[in-house]
Amino acid sequence: MSSKNDLATGKIGKLLFSLAVPSIIAQLVNVLYNIVDRIFIGKMADSTIAMAGLSTALPLVTLIMAFTQLVGVGGAPLCAIKLGEKNQDGAEEIMTNSFSALIISGVLITITILLFQTPLLTMFGASVQTLKPASEYITIYALGTVFVQIAFGMNAYINTQGFAKIGMSTVLIGAIINIILDPVFIFGFGMGVKGAALATIISQGVSALWVLQFLFSKNSTIKIRKQYIIPKLKVLIPIVSLGVSPFVMASTESLLQISFINQLSVYGGTLAVASMAILNSIWQFISMPMMGLCQGAQPIMSYNYGAKNYERVRQTFKLTFKCCLGLSFTFGGLFIIFAAPLVSVFTSDPTTIRFASWALRIYVCGGMVMGAQNACQQSFMALGQAKISLLMALTRKVFLLIPLIYVLPIIMGNSTIALNLAHPVADLVQHAGKVFAIYFAEPVSDTLASLITTLMFVRFYRKHLSVKALEHETEQ
């Protein structure tokens, strides 16, 4: 660990800045990495159909990413805690077991998608028109699943050691290659959506090689060791237990996308489904910077929690909370103000721009308070509180948002308020009020989830991290 990133003694503000800024940049680049395909696909002929097809494939892409978090993001805080306890062998065993598990899960996921993609895509809402582009994209993308697992899952072990700039480079390298290859394959070779998927898996393959060469090098504090290469249940169970929360967050994102697509296809048709891909892309500009900030805070909190230096844990959380809330409020406000220019980046179709701009203003307004939810949720993760973190992960999407997507159109879809707010696009979709209600489910759940998660962390903080609680524990 370099003196610049001294997790034990460095000044919290400067340390968080040095770790978080590269992580935030990496996450913003990761956003570009994820959406550049959609930007180029939006410029194709029949872009609305192609974009709608991509929307139906995205739940599978999201599910692939979920498995990287199950063992990658799940193991990284435990690895940092071991380092805080000066247990390097334990840290290396966790990382190496995660590496093996990522490869195994990657192979299994690839086989499953290749065998069952048609019924899965149909279940996700693919129509006769959109099934072909969705299948073309996911077939090629699935072949690069192992690259995705390694590039993103193992990159968490670079960040947790405090090498945030190296972690940022992993994403940056892949994004640059993807941006270069996308127009070449999509337009130059005329491959369309297949070209977008091919460019993505090539870039992820290069990122995976970058991660592995670092983790095997002398520059890494901990190494992948051959004596730990065969996974052990006693090591994997704690990793998976902690990783269940981010896995559920990501996999329920897949379920969430399916719910949106199914409901929008019924009430809004292809236009609403295509717009959902654009909204998902723009939403990442709120969620990913906060994720990067929390990734920067995670090594500091985990290391010092393991070292029982609770004052540094408290300081780090408070600063992270304020910064996350500031990010979400700023980005959410900007997206509401500049909705049309943002949407026009993804499509040149005037009808889609008009509809998606209206939808975006509704969709992101609750995101302005999501910083509170993210800071508390990720802090539970950093402190090894798997059960609470999982519960909070389920609260926003499974207990609130998904039910609201189905319930709100029924109870308010034909109300005067819904019809008036849907008036700007009433001539574009048949059931405009119900479509408004579907989008309105997002800010309602975001606001409620932020309040619940914050209250839960305040309760945990007072019981386990406050000065009074620790003094009482010492006296006993």
Side-chain angles (χ1 to χ4, degrees):
M1 207 80 66
S2 68
S3 58
K4 181 179 179 181
N5 289 338
D6 189 349
L7 302 178
T9 60
K11 188 176 180 180
I12 294 296
K14 183 178 180 181
L15 182 58
L16 180 59
F17 182 82
S18 68
L19 292 172
V21 169
S23 293
I24 291 171
I25 293 173
Q27 290 297 333
L28 287 172
V29 173
N30 195 28
V31 172
L32 188 60
Y33 196 122
N34 292 331
I35 70 174
V36 70
D37 292 346
R38 300 165 214 179
I39 293 173
F40 284 112
I41 288 172
K43 307 303 179 184
M44 291 168 49
D46 298 325
S47 62
T48 301
I49 293 175
M51 193 71 79
L54 184 59
S55 281
T56 59
L58 286 179
L60 284 174
V61 174
T62 303
L63 197 58
I64 290 172
M65 291 299 296
F67 278 93
T68 70
Q69 302 198 46
L70 182 62
V71 291
V73 178
L78 296 177
C79 185
I81 290 171
K82 291 293 183 183
L83 288 173
E85 294 170 348
K86 311 301 181 186
N87 184 354
Q88 181 150 337
D89 286 341
E92 291 180 336
E93 186 173 20
I94 289 171
M95 184 173 73
T96 307
N97 270 245
S98 293
F99 173 65
S100 301
L102 286 166
I103 294 176
I104 294 168
S105 65
V107 172
L108 293 175
I109 292 168
T110 299
I111 294 171
T112 302
I113 292 176
L114 292 178
L115 290 176
F116 302 107
Q117 60 174 282
T118 299
L120 285 171
L121 291 171
T122 303
M123 182 179 67
F124 294 169
S127 64
V128 175
Q129 284 183 310
T130 60
L131 182 59
K132 182 183 177 183
S135 180
E136 289 176 343
Y137 186 87
I138 202 60
T139 297
I140 295 176
Y141 190 94
L143 295 173
T145 299
V146 172
F147 298 151
V148 178
Q149 301 291 84
I150 295 173
F152 291 100
M154 295 307 295
N155 201 43
Y157 289 94
I158 294 178
N159 289 324
T160 205
Q161 295 178 59
F163 297 111
K165 290 183 179 179
I166 302 297
M168 176 186 70
S169 298
T170 302
V171 181
L172 188 60
I173 290 168
I176 291 172
I177 294 173
N178 196 30
I179 292 169
I180 294 171
L181 293 181
D182 254 330
V184 174
F185 290 148
I186 294 173
F187 302 113
F189 294 154
M191 296 177 67
V193 293
K194 291 184 287 187
L198 183 59
T200 299
I201 66 168
I202 290 174
S203 59
Q204 288 169 343
V206 175
S207 293
L209 290 174
W210 167 266
V211 169
L212 291 180
Q213 68 83 25
F214 179 82
L215 291 177
F216 279 106
S217 74
K218 63 181 181 180
N219 296 319
S220 179
T221 306
I222 52 177
K223 310 286 191 300
I224 295 174
R225 302 291 186 185
K226 63 181 180 180
Q227 64 263 37
Y228 301 132
I229 204 69
I230 298 175
K232 295 180 181 178
L233 278 179
K234 69 175 184 179
V235 179
L236 285 179
I237 288 175
I239 292 173
V240 172
S241 296
L242 190 56
V244 162
S245 176
F247 172 78
V248 168
M249 288 180 67
S251 58
T252 51
E253 184 68 28
S254 179
L255 181 60
L256 177 60
Q257 291 166 357
I258 295 168
S259 301
F260 268 120
I261 291 167
N262 284 332
Q263 284 289 82
L264 290 172
S265 64
V266 171
Y267 298 115
T270 302
L271 176 62
V273 174
S275 297
M276 198 63 212
I278 297 173
L279 267 57
N280 278 330
S281 301
I282 295 174
W283 175 258
Q284 291 182 57
F285 281 100
I286 294 179
S287 60
M288 289 299 190
M290 290 189 294
M291 184 65 69
L293 180 61
C294 292
Q295 283 181 356
Q298 177 264 309
I300 308 173
M301 295 182 72
S302 298
Y303 184 96
N304 286 287
Y305 193 68
K308 302 188 184 303
N309 193 342
Y310 299 117
E311 175 59 27
R312 291 178 65 78
V313 176
R314 290 193 293 269
Q315 291 177 17
T316 305
F317 167 74
K318 290 176 182 178
L319 185 56
T320 302
F321 184 88
K322 293 176 184 177
C323 291
C324 276
L325 197 55
L327 279 173
S328 64
F329 192 85
T330 301
F331 276 90
L334 289 174
F335 294 166
I336 292 171
I337 296 170
F338 300 106
L342 284 168
V343 170
S344 64
V345 172
F346 296 89
T347 179
S348 53
D349 178 62
T351 302
T352 306
I353 292 173
R354 178 182 159 197
F355 181 87
S357 300
W358 166 82
L360 178 62
R361 293 187 179 97
I362 301 163
Y363 191 76
V364 304
C365 61
M368 297 174 73
V369 297
M370 277 297 290
Q373 201 270 351
N374 272 263
C376 295
Q377 164 87 42
Q378 295 301 317
S379 293
F380 278 131
M381 274 289 297
L383 301 176
Q385 303 299 309
K387 291 181 180 179
I388 305 176
S389 186
L390 174 59
L391 178 61
M392 295 301 98
L394 291 171
T395 297
R396 175 177 168 258
K397 296 175 184 176
V398 177
F399 301 150
L400 292 173
L401 183 49
I402 291 176
L404 287 172
I405 289 171
Y406 291 94
V407 171
L408 287 186
I410 297 173
I411 65 175
M412 70 172 292
N414 293 320
S415 67
T416 302
I417 294 175
L419 292 173
N420 286 339
L421 291 171
H423 180 69
V425 296
D427 59 321
L428 299 181
V429 291
Q430 187 176 0
H431 304 283
K434 292 183 182 297
V435 172
F436 164 80
I438 294 168
Y439 288 127
F440 188 61
E442 182 73 40
V444 172
S445 66
D446 289 345
T447 303
L448 290 175
S450 296
L451 178 62
I452 293 168
T453 308
T454 301
L455 291 175
M456 287 294 291
F457 194 86
V458 168
R459 180 174 177 272
F460 173 84
Y461 184 95
R462 289 176 175 173
K463 187 175 181 180
H464 298 285
L465 291 175
S466 68
V467 175
K468 181 181 287 187
L470 292 171
E471 286 177 348
H472 179 68
E473 184 179 312
T474 302
E475 289 173 0
Q476 290 182 330

